[in-house]
């Protein structure tokens, strides 16, 4: 028969009306100093508080009204006793004549307050009497409010140290005793509430109870305000007593709230010094209590405390805070079998945060935490629980954030083991986080061991985690991930070639298994990283001669060769080709002719066998030509073979303009504008002439197919090539040849009806250039002089 | 008219006054008509001293065959109304036979009067002390005037005063242990005690302590017993659990109690009981009654 909302409102209104009615007569009695009537009406007024019909919330409203009226009574009592109409002792007896217990006790507390103030009896005695007498109210809500009233009126009258009510030496203990006793009784009432009434309304009662919790908690607050509660007393008396009550009440709601309360109201310093006692209570709590939140709170507070000032850190060490917390967590997890994984992990996150704040230098602690977490997770499959996963990410991110240095994390053997428990998606996210951390802090990973460890961490990105390849992988995300891996590879660096080589080998070992989708992303950075090493070796060539080192360029090239080969299976021939050419160039710089030749061979093979697309061929051939042009390592024979090949391929391109351009590009192969470069003017001219022929052929083909002349631009391009070699002093290129070509172009352009504005502009600027050179005078001007435009 | 009234009026005014009437303590007594009156207060073995003044109505003389004053202790049982039983009767002759013409006073004194019983106004019984002046006359009825006074006897604090401690209960339902600090209380005493709940299987709503007075009159088959509840004092509100101990502190002073009277002259007894009542949510009452002795302690002041 619990109240419905409407009825409750009605009852509350009735209660308030009752209070107001009686308060009115009480005021009249107070005004006429009529003690007897004042008592009578105040008793009647307080009788309204005897109701059982109201929920705590409404009851509170009623209580507050009565409370205000009682302040007036208290004032009246004080005046009466001051005036000497009645002694406070008589008054203290007089109010106890009331037949109903609740009004009686409210009045008793009110007079008690006056009694203490009068100092006619030691505060401790009065308080003790009051707290004992209040036992008469066993009804939870009424009892809680009465005792809360007691707490309220007594808080400024405790015989605390330094208080005016301080008594003999032992005085503080009485104050503490009083508060603790009141707390204990209130808690008992509060806990009992849930057992009263029908089971089906349990939820409602729980809700009501949580509305009342602050009444209970207030006592702890008062305790914490007592000056006399120093560390010793807290340690010896207060905490054990309070904890005893908390543990013994065996109530989930109460235990959770009160532990939290203890942690919040008492100073951090006390917690630190009593950590053992405090923590020992946790495993004794009910299995359903949400310990993790509370413990996390504690650890957060402690870590904030540690962070607040550097001076307190020694205290933490002194009390071995870490091992105590760690033990406690272990015990709690052991005790609460049903605790969800997320709970356990949350605890570990808090512990880790604590550790990082308090013992930043103790990596072993960090690892210990992670180890414990692994232990908890072991035997379980990958985590399905989203929240748990989140917590693990938090757990793993914390050290990264703290140390800003992945190297530190790499030293933690348990780190990857924790990661193993993440699902694939999260694992990747975590790996990206790690890489980002490295990038952000530009941390160089400088040993093969660390690299090994790192790749263990990010293996989610390096290879496919398991056979169940989900198809939903977002292409962009994938690219993003792989790009970050690629960036990461550049961060793996050591100045010592030996170590660097090891690093490269390690990286290679990992990425080579990455599968066709990843290799195009991961191989290039590795190749360039290796080439960088090669150049580095080359740079210090002189110094290392004579030393027996394994990190020779030759060796590196071998590795590179194998690495690039892997791309063939992808297949990604264009990329491989580029890389081969890069390697060839590097090999050339190292004077390793056979190696360079081999790389070129590979490039050509690729060109022949794999590059089928005509556009790709064009690009490839230009690359080959460009690279080859700069190679100076080859002997005449090798070079001939290669140039011959290149020229051959150029002429065999599909489209005429492409052919043309490739062929005139080939001309550079015979003219290296360096001191010792070959300068074979004849063959240059041969190439250019061939290009002209092809251009002509292109022109005719265009005529045939489209009825219009083809692009004159090819001629202009060839003219520019001629000009180049003319200037470089190729004896085969003479001014008359140039003159002829210019004339040719002019005719072509005239016959060509539809003029191409870009070609016109191109030609015009070429002519302008010639004009400019002519006017410049000097040797160059003389050279140009014969040409007429 | 005056003449007629004058015929029924007693021919004289008799007043009885005590020697220390002004200073003597008085007790406030509830009379039968509900009004309170103040009457002089005595205790056993006191000297009762005073004087009687007889003042004849103007112009009349009183012939008498003697004037006497009696001190009577009477028990009046209401079912036997009008029949007084005198347990004490002392007589002093005030005047030899003769005539009284004018106001005349006679001093009297009863020394160390033994008044073993206290005055008492009960439901079925009354015990009272009076001084009765009788002017005996021939042929016409005697002229009688009486004056009540109150007697209270004080007892020293008992040397043996054990506490009352008892464990009671209903099997598998309710088990309590209660303790009252004494078995004998004086009228202004405080009952201190506690109730300890050993087993609670019923839903208790509240608990109160009653003070009950049992007055039994007559004897044998004609015994009348009246029980009154003089005090209802709530001790506890709500349902306790096992292990709770509830304090008792009951001040007796606000209640109109008398000392316990045991077998007063074989006519009546007044006994007091503490009745501990537990009320459950269905308003069933569980109680245990325990006799206490109440006495009147000599006030030190």
């Amino acid at each position: 028969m619990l109240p419905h909302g409407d009825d409750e409102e009605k009852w509350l209104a009735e209660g308030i009306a009752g209070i107001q009615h009686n308060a009115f007569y009480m005021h009249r009695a107070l005004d006429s100093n009529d003690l007897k009537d004042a008592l009578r009406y105040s008793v009647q007024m307080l009788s309204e508080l005897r109701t059982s019909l109201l929920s705590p919330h409404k009851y509170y409203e009623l209580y507050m009204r009565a409370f205000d009226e009682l302040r007036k009574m208290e004032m009246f009592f004080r005046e009466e006793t001051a005036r000497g109409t009645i002694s406070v002792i008589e008054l203290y007896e007089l109010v106890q004549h009331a037949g109903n217990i609740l009004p009686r006790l409210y009045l008793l507390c009110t007079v008690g307050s006056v009694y203490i103030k009068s100092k006619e009896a030691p505060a401790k005695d009065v308080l003790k009497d009051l707290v004992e007498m209040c036992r008469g109210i066993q009804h939870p809500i009424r009892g809680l409010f009465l005792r809360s009233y007691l707490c309220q009126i007594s808080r400024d009258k405790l015989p605390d140290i330094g208080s005016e009510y301080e008594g003999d030496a032992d005085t503080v203990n009485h104050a503490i005793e009083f508060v603790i006793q009141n707390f204990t009784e209130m808690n008992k009432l509060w806990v009992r509430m849930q057992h009263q009434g029908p089971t089906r309304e349990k939820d409602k009662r729980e809700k009501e109870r949580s509305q009342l919790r602050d009444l209970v908690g207030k006592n702890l607050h008062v305790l914490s305000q007592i000056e006399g509660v120093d560390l010793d007393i807290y340690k010896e008396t207060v905490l054990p007593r309070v904890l005893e009550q908390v543990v013994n009440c065996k109530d989930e709601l109460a235990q959770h709230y009160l532990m939290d309360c203890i942690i919040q109201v008492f100073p951090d310093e006390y917690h630190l010094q009593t950590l053992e006692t405090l923590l020992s209570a946790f495993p004794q709590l009910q299995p359903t209590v949400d310990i993790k939140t509370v413990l996390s709170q504690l650890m957060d507070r402690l870590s904030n405390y540690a962070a607040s000032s550097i001076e307190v850190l020694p205290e933490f060490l002194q009390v071995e805070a870490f091992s105590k917390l760690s033990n406690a967590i272990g015990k709690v997890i052991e005790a609460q079998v049903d605790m969800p994984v997320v709970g356990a992990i949350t605890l570990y996150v808090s512990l880790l945060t604590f550790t990082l704040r308090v013992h930043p230098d103790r990596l072993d602690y960090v690892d210990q935490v992670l180890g414990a977490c692994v232990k908890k997770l072991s035997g379980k499959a990958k985590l399905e629980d989203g929240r748990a996963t989140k917590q693990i990410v938090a757990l793993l991110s914390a050290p990264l954030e703290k140390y800003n240095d992945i190297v530190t994390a790499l030293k933690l053997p348990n780190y990857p083991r924790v990661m193993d428990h993440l699902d694939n998606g999260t694992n990747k996210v975590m790996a990206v986080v790690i890489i980002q951390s490295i990038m952000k802090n530009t941390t160089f990973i400088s040993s093969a061991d660390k690299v090994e460890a790192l790749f263990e961490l990010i293996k989610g990105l390096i290879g496919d985690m398991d056979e169940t390849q989900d198809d939903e992988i977002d292409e962009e995300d994938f690219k993003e991930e792989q790009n970050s891996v690629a960036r990461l590879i550049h961060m793996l660096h050591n100045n010592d070639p030996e170590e660097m080589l090891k690093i490269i080998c390690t990286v290679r070992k990992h990425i080579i298994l990455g599968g066709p989708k990843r290799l195009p992303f991961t191989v290039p950075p590795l190749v360039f990283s290796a080439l960088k090493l090669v150049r580095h070796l080359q740079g210090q060539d002189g110094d290392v001669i004579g030393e027996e080192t394994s990190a020779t360029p030759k060796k590196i090239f071998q590795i590179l060769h194998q690495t690039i080969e892997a791309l063939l299976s992808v297949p990604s021939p264009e990329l491989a080709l580029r890389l081969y050419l890069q390697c060839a160039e590097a090999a050339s710089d190292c004077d390793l002719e056979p190696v360079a030749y081999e790389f070129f061979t590979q490039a050509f093979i690729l060109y022949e066998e794999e590059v089928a697309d005509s556009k790709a061929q064009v690009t490839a051939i230009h690359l080959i030509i460009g690279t080859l042009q700069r190679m100076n390592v080859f002997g005449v024979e090798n070079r001939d073979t290669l140039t011959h090949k290149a020229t051959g391929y150029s002429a065999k391109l599909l489209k005429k303009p492409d052919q043309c351009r490739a062929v005139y590009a080939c001309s550079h192969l015979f003219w290296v504008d360096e001191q010792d470069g070959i300068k074979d003017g004849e063959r240059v001219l041969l190439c250019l002439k061939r290009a002209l022929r092809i251009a002509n052929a292109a022109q005719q083909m265009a005529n045939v197919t489209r009825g219009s002349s083809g692009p004159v631009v090819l001629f202009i391009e060839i003219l520019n090539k001629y000009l180049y070699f003319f200037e470089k002093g190729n004896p085969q290129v003479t001014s008359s040849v140039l003159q002829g070509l210019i004339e040719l172009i002019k005719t072509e352009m005239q016959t060509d009806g539809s003029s191409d504005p870009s070609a016109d502009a191109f030609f015009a600027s070429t002519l302008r250039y010639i004009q400019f050179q002519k006017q410049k005078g000097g040797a160059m001007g003389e050279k140009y002089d014969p040409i007429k435009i | 008219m005056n003449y007629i009234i004058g015929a029924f009026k007693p021919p004289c005014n008799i007043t009885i006054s005590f020697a220390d009437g002004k200073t003597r303590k008085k007790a406030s007594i509830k009379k039968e008509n509900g009004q309170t009156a103040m009457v002089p207060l005595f205790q056993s073995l006191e000297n009762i001293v005073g004087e009687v003044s007889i003042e004849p109505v103007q112009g009349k003389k009183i012939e008498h065959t003697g004037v006497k004053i009696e001190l009577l202790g009477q028990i009046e049982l209401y079912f036997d109304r009008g029949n007084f039983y005198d347990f004490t009767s002392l007589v002093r002759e005030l005047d030899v036979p003769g005539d009284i013409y004018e106001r005349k006073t006679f001093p009297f004194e009863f020394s160390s009067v033994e008044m073993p019983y206290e005055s008492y106004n009960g439901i079925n019984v009354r015990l009272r002390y009076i001084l009765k002046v009788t002017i005996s006359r021939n042929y016409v009825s005697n002229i009688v005037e009486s004056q009540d006074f109150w007697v209270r006897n004080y007892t020293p604090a008992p040397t043996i005063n054990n506490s009352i401690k008892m464990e009671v209960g209903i099997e598998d339902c309710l088990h309590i242990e209660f303790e009252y600090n004494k078995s004998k209380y004086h009228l202004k005493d405080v009952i201190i005690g506690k109730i300890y709940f050993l087993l609670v299987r019923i839903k208790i709503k509240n608990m109160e302590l009653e003070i009950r007075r049992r007055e039994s009159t007559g004897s044998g088959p004609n015994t009348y017993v009246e029980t009154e509840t003089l005090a209802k004092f709530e001790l506890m509100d709500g349902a306790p659990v096992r292990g709770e101990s509830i304090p008792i502190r009951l001040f007796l002073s606000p209640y109109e109690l008398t000392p316990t009277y045991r077998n007063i002259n074989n006519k009546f007894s007044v006994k007091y009981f503490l009745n501990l009542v537990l009320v459950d949510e269905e308003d069933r009452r569980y109680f245990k009654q325990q006799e206490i002795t109440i006495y009147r302690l000599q006030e030190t002041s």
Side-chain angles (χ1 to χ4, degrees):
Chain A
M1 284 307 293
L2 274 162
H4 298 287
D6 292 346
D7 289 347
E8 215 190 343
E9 285 295 339
K10 202 181 81 198
W11 287 320
L12 175 62
E14 279 170 10
I16 290 172
I19 286 186
Q20 285 169 339
H21 176 81
N22 287 304
F24 171 78
Y25 288 105
M26 186 186 96
H27 293 162
R28 260 201 350 203
L30 295 184
D31 291 343
S32 53
N33 291 327
D34 186 342
L35 178 62
K36 225 174 119 192
D37 270 5
L39 285 178
R40 190 169 66 153
Y41 288 112
S42 61
V43 164
Q44 280 178 24
M45 174 190 81
L46 290 167
S47 292
E48 296 294 341
L49 290 177
R50 297 175 72 208
T51 178
S52 301
L53 299 169
L54 298 178
S55 67
H57 192 66
K58 305 276 182 220
Y59 191 85
Y60 177 74
E61 245 178 84
L62 207 58
Y63 163 83
M64 281 317 290
R65 283 171 192 267
F67 182 85
D68 291 344
E69 298 302 333
L70 280 174
R71 297 278 62 74
K72 292 173 193 150
M73 276 308 274
E74 186 180 346
M75 220 133 81
F76 174 69
F77 287 149
R78 199 166 303 150
E79 284 162 12
E80 284 292 289
T81 50
R83 208 181 297 134
T85 341
I86 186 165
S87 79
V88 68
I89 299 150
E90 285 167 332
L91 200 55
Y92 195 70
E93 183 193 319
L94 193 59
V95 293
Q96 292 186 66
H97 293 174
N100 281 320
I101 184 160
L102 194 67
R104 177 166 79 231
L105 291 178
Y106 271 106
L107 285 178
L108 189 67
C109 291
T110 313
V111 178
S113 153
V114 179
Y115 199 177
I116 297 172
K117 270 214 149 132
S118 77
K119 294 182 195 154
E120 286 185 34
K124 59 166 189 178
D125 293 346
V126 180
L127 290 175
K128 188 165 170 46
D129 188 52
L130 291 176
V131 78
E132 276 296 323
M133 291 312 283
C134 284
R135 280 175 189 278
I137 307 296
Q138 293 289 323
H139 183 277
I141 294 182
R142 294 195 283 271
L144 280 171
F145 277 94
L146 172 69
R147 284 183 179 275
S148 145
Y149 179 69
L150 175 60
C151 178
Q152 184 70 30
I153 56 122
S154 64
R155 60 186 307 173
D156 57 341
K157 303 181 184 67
L158 298 174
D160 190 6
I161 286 177
S163 141
E164 55 176 313
Y165 306 104
E166 186 179 353
D168 48 32
D170 214 15
T171 180
V172 159
N173 284 338
H174 295 294
I176 295 168
E177 184 59 34
F178 165 75
V179 181
I180 288 185
Q181 196 180 342
N182 201 37
F183 161 72
T184 308
E185 292 300 326
M186 279 178 91
N187 190 43
K188 282 202 271 186
L189 291 171
W190 188 44
V191 170
R192 201 187 296 165
M193 237 181 109
Q194 67 161 332
H195 303 298
Q196 295 181 346
T199 345
R200 69 196 138 84
E201 276 162 354
K202 196 167 180 351
D203 287 349
K204 185 166 171 255
R205 271 201 309 278
E206 290 292 282
K207 210 178 123 216
E208 291 180 351
R209 281 189 63 207
S210 54
Q211 289 172 348
L212 289 169
R213 63 184 195 179
D214 288 345
L215 297 183
V216 185
K218 199 160 75 178
N219 286 295
L220 293 179
H221 186 246
V222 170
L223 261 185
S224 73
Q225 303 286 307
I226 297 180
E227 283 289 319
V229 176
D230 56 17
L231 183 57
D232 281 341
I233 293 182
Y234 179 73
K235 204 180 203 165
E236 299 300 323
T237 319
V238 177
L239 185 65
R241 295 274 311 269
V242 173
L243 282 181
E244 185 193 357
Q245 173 58 28
V246 173
V247 168
N248 287 345
C249 78
K250 293 198 180 353
D251 176 72
E252 180 190 344
L253 188 69
Q255 289 184 336
H256 180 219
Y257 172 71
L258 293 175
M259 289 309 279
D260 200 33
C261 225
I262 294 174
I263 290 167
Q264 299 299 339
V265 299
F266 292 106
D268 300 324
E269 187 197 342
Y270 287 12
H271 294 319
L272 192 57
Q273 296 299 333
T274 55
L275 210 49
E276 201 157 4
T277 324
L278 187 60
L279 292 173
S280 67
F282 281 98
Q284 299 175 58
L285 301 181
Q286 295 302 98
T288 44
V289 176
D290 181 13
I291 292 179
K292 65 167 197 304
T293 323
V294 183
L295 255 182
S296 304
Q297 287 265 26
L298 174 63
M299 287 185 280
D300 288 352
R301 274 198 65 147
L302 287 180
S303 24
N304 285 337
Y305 178 54
S308 68
S309 135
I310 194 82
E311 285 128 46
V312 297
L313 283 180
E315 285 178 41
F316 281 86
L317 299 178
Q318 192 201 331
V319 300
E320 295 171 335
F322 173 78
S323 56
K324 281 176 189 166
L325 283 170
S326 171
N327 278 338
I329 290 173
K331 276 188 196 144
V332 164
I333 290 174
E334 222 169 85
Q336 299 205 337
V337 188
D338 297 334
M339 190 200 283
V341 179
V342 57
I345 298 170
T346 314
L347 282 177
Y348 286 123
V349 172
S350 301
L351 180 60
L352 190 67
T353 318
F354 171 82
T355 314
L356 291 173
R357 289 248 181 103
V358 181
H359 306 289
D361 49 334
R362 296 297 297 266
L363 266 183
D364 53 333
Y365 283 172
V366 176
D367 194 48
Q368 215 173 312
V369 177
L370 294 174
C373 193
V374 169
K375 213 173 119 198
K376 172 73 191 166
L377 292 170
S378 64
K380 292 196 175 72
K382 301 255 178 201
L383 284 170
E384 302 297 333
D385 182 0
R387 289 185 305 150
T389 320
K390 232 183 201 164
Q391 288 298 334
I392 291 196
V393 172
L395 184 75
L396 292 172
S397 307
L400 294 184
E401 278 162 26
K402 172 69 188 179
Y403 294 115
N404 274 333
D405 181 4
I406 186 68
V407 178
T408 320
L410 294 179
K411 286 185 200 146
L412 305 168
N414 280 314
Y415 199 92
R417 291 164 66 193
V418 176
M419 262 183 98
D420 281 347
H421 288 279
L422 290 171
D423 63 64
N424 293 342
T426 327
N427 204 321
K428 280 184 195 163
V429 171
M430 195 58 226
V432 171
V433 167
I434 292 172
I435 292 173
Q436 277 165 354
S437 155
I438 295 173
M439 292 300 164
K440 206 175 78 196
N441 303 299
T442 51
T443 319
F444 287 102
I445 317 294
S446 58
S447 85
D449 295 347
K450 287 178 193 162
V451 171
E452 180 76 46
L454 178 62
F455 273 81
E456 181 65 22
L457 289 186
I458 60 167
K459 63 187 171 195
L461 296 178
I462 301 304
D464 296 329
M465 286 304 275
D466 45 37
E467 53 289 330
T468 58
Q469 183 60 273
D470 36 354
D471 307 317
E472 286 120 75
I473 292 177
D474 186 347
E475 197 61 33
E476 257 176 54
D477 285 354
F478 180 77
K479 277 187 187 162
E480 192 62 38
E481 284 166 19
Q482 295 307 317
N483 280 334
S484 52
V485 174
R487 291 167 69 196
L488 172 69
I489 292 173
H490 290 295
M491 303 305 293
L492 315 176
H493 182 76
N494 193 324
N495 277 328
D496 176 26
E498 287 288 322
E499 194 58 39
M500 191 59 204
L501 181 64
K502 276 194 211 155
I503 291 176
I504 289 170
C505 291
T506 316
V507 175
R508 184 178 167 271
K509 188 179 82 193
H510 284 283
I511 64 169
I512 219 79
L513 304 169
K517 283 176 79 183
R518 288 186 182 79
L519 283 176
F521 290 96
T522 49
V523 169
L526 176 63
V527 169
F528 283 103
S529 178
L531 290 177
K532 207 157 118 196
L533 174 62
V534 170
R535 294 193 203 288
H536 180 71
L537 281 172
Q538 202 188 337
Q540 52 174 225
D541 233 358
D543 314 336
V544 274
I545 278 177
E547 264 182 61
E548 200 54 45
T549 51
S550 57
T552 59
K554 224 177 203 164
K555 176 120 192 227
I556 297 166
F557 283 121
Q558 278 167 18
I559 296 166
L560 283 172
H561 194 277
Q562 292 159 14
T563 313
I564 301 170
E565 250 176 1
L567 277 179
L568 299 181
S569 59
V570 172
S572 184
E574 288 97 345
L575 185 61
L577 188 124
R578 281 161 191 264
L579 294 175
Y580 276 136
L581 292 176
Q582 285 288 348
C583 292
E585 196 182 345
S588 150
D589 291 347
C590 295
D591 276 334
L592 294 170
E593 188 182 351
V595 178
Y597 189 81
E598 171 61 19
F599 278 119
F600 249 99
T601 318
Q602 289 298 332
F604 277 122
I605 293 172
L606 269 181
Y607 181 80
E608 283 167 16
E609 292 175 357
E610 308 282 346
V611 185
D613 180 52
S614 63
K615 261 192 196 148
Q617 279 182 345
V618 172
T619 324
I621 200 75
H622 278 285
L623 279 171
I624 290 172
I625 294 166
T627 316
L628 188 55
Q629 196 263 345
R630 280 190 285 155
M631 303 287 264
N632 49 17
V633 70
F634 294 125
V636 182
E637 207 166 303
N638 280 343
R639 191 176 173 90
D640 261 5
T641 322
L642 294 173
T643 37
H644 187 254
K645 261 278 191 249
T647 330
Y649 287 139
S650 304
K652 274 179 207 142
L653 287 171
L654 182 63
K655 288 198 258 173
K656 287 290 173 190
D658 290 341
Q659 269 183 22
C660 172
R661 286 188 176 113
V663 169
Y664 70 62
C666 281
S667 64
H668 287 287
L669 292 177
F670 306 104
W671 191 279
V672 178
D673 191 25
E674 275 168 26
Q675 209 157 28
D676 308 329
I678 32 166
K679 297 196 168 61
D680 188 342
E682 216 164 311
R683 290 178 77 173
V684 167
L685 198 63
L686 224 61
C687 280
L688 292 177
K689 280 185 174 157
R690 198 167 173 188
L692 270 178
R693 270 201 310 278
I694 300 168
N696 248 328
Q699 198 83 346
Q700 279 156 14
M701 258 174 70
N703 262 329
V704 171
T705 48
R706 275 168 287 182
S708 69
S709 56
V712 80
V713 72
L714 280 176
F715 291 105
I716 306 170
E717 282 168 18
I718 295 166
L719 171 63
N720 274 287
K721 286 286 164 207
Y722 269 101
L723 282 174
Y724 171 81
F725 288 111
F726 178 65
E727 277 183 22
K728 292 293 174 198
N730 187 335
Q732 307 291 320
V733 181
T734 60
S735 55
S736 59
V737 176
L738 285 172
Q739 188 72 52
L741 191 53
I742 293 168
E743 296 308 321
L744 173 73
I745 296 169
K746 281 183 174 162
T747 0
E748 281 291 332
M749 286 175 89
Q750 273 152 17
T751 51
D752 185 12
S754 61
S755 66
D756 177 5
S758 70
D760 288 353
F762 188 20
F763 183 57
S765 60
T766 309
L767 290 181
R768 236 189 351 266
Y769 175 74
I770 296 169
Q771 194 67 38
F772 171 74
Q773 291 293 46
K774 274 159 80 99
Q775 286 166 1
K776 209 160 78 174
M780 197 53 80
E782 251 167 59
K783 215 172 178 187
Y784 271 97
D785 201 40
I787 304 172
K788 297 188 178 58
I789 310 163
Chain B
M1 286 288 279
N2 274 343
Y3 177 77
I4 301 168
I5 293 167
F8 293 101
K9 267 173 84 176
C12 62
N13 283 329
I14 304 171
T15 47
I16 306 164
S17 58
F18 297 98
D20 49 2
K22 292 226 171 77
T23 54
R24 174 159 292 278
K25 269 194 171 171
K26 290 191 165 63
S28 103
I29 300 304
K30 223 178 230 158
K31 297 214 287 200
E32 282 155 82
N33 56 15
Q35 286 177 329
T36 50
M38 302 300 284
V39 294
L41 184 62
F42 289 88
Q43 55 177 309
S44 187
L45 298 178
E46 266 192 293
N47 298 334
I48 298 173
V49 186
E51 54 180 32
V52 175
S53 92
I54 300 170
E55 191 177 6
V57 177
Q58 201 65 40
K60 282 202 172 170
K61 68 160 186 167
I62 300 162
E63 280 178 49
H64 63 88
T65 58
V67 178
K68 62 175 180 183
I69 182 162
E70 290 169 288
L71 188 155
L72 298 174
Q74 298 179 321
I75 295 171
E76 180 184 9
L77 296 164
Y78 293 161
F79 56 84
D80 190 14
R81 200 171 273 272
N83 214 351
F84 301 107
Y85 173 79
D86 295 350
F87 56 89
T88 294
S89 174
L90 299 168
V91 187
R92 295 285 182 273
E93 295 292 340
L94 293 180
D95 203 1
V96 292
D99 296 338
I100 298 173
Y101 298 100
E102 56 189 355
R103 181 190 157 96
K104 195 170 180 189
T105 58
F106 309 94
F108 65 89
E109 178 174 356
F110 300 95
S111 315
S112 308
V113 188
E114 201 157 323
M115 296 178 287
Y117 311 127
E118 289 201 340
S119 307
Y120 174 68
N121 266 340
I123 294 172
N124 284 328
V125 63
R126 179 160 77 150
L127 187 150
R128 64 169 191 171
Y129 288 92
I130 52 170
L131 287 169
K132 184 164 140 193
V133 175
T134 311
I135 303 173
S136 314
R137 295 192 290 186
N138 285 327
Y139 318 117
V140 281
S141 61
N142 295 343
I143 301 170
V144 177
E145 179 63 40
S146 63
Q147 162 76 45
D148 280 274
F149 65 92
W150 208 255
V151 171
R152 283 178 184 165
N153 286 326
Y154 300 93
T155 17
T159 45
I160 300 168
N161 196 347
N162 295 324
S163 64
I164 299 173
K165 200 171 177 180
M166 190 173 278
E167 197 184 312
V168 291
I170 308 161
E171 205 176 348
D172 291 335
C173 183
L174 181 67
H175 247 75
I176 61 169
E177 188 182 283
F178 61 82
E179 182 176 353
Y180 309 125
N181 61 335
K182 302 176 196 169
S183 48
K184 296 166 185 161
Y185 294 93
H186 63 80
L187 292 168
K188 308 280 179 217
D189 218 340
V190 191
I191 299 173
I192 306 279
K194 65 173 183 213
I195 298 108
Y196 185 73
F197 286 83
L198 298 164
L199 175 79
V200 192
R201 292 251 172 88
I202 50 173
K203 286 180 178 166
I204 294 170
K205 196 163 69 178
N206 67 352
M207 174 168 71
E208 51 192 29
L209 190 62
E210 293 175 342
I211 302 175
R212 287 159 76 91
R213 167 158 69 199
R214 191 160 76 197
E215 178 189 290
S216 53
T217 45
S219 55
N222 292 329
T223 306
Y224 295 80
V225 177
E226 284 286 346
T227 309
E228 280 177 280
T229 302
L230 301 176
K232 270 189 180 209
F233 189 75
E234 194 179 17
L235 290 177
M236 183 185 76
D237 171 23
V241 293
R242 194 163 64 95
E244 285 293 348
S245 107
I246 307 297
I248 307 171
R249 184 188 295 154
L250 171 56
F251 290 90
L252 296 179
S253 55
Y255 306 107
E256 288 176 9
L257 306 179
T258 67
T260 299
Y261 304 133
R262 283 183 213 287
N263 199 15
I264 299 300
N265 221 54
N266 279 327
K267 295 289 182 213
F268 74 101
S269 295
V270 175
K271 290 180 178 177
Y272 286 91
F273 296 88
L274 286 180
N275 193 24
L276 184 67
V277 186
L278 289 114
V279 186
D280 74 6
E281 285 187 337
E282 269 99 51
D283 282 326
R284 281 187 290 256
R285 296 164 70 82
Y286 307 83
F287 59 89
K288 177 67 187 175
Q289 194 158 287
Q290 204 60 37
E291 190 184 350
I292 52 168
T293 305
I294 293 183
Y295 63 96
R296 193 184 301 280
L297 182 68
Q298 181 69 62
E299 280 156 64
T300 44
S301 58

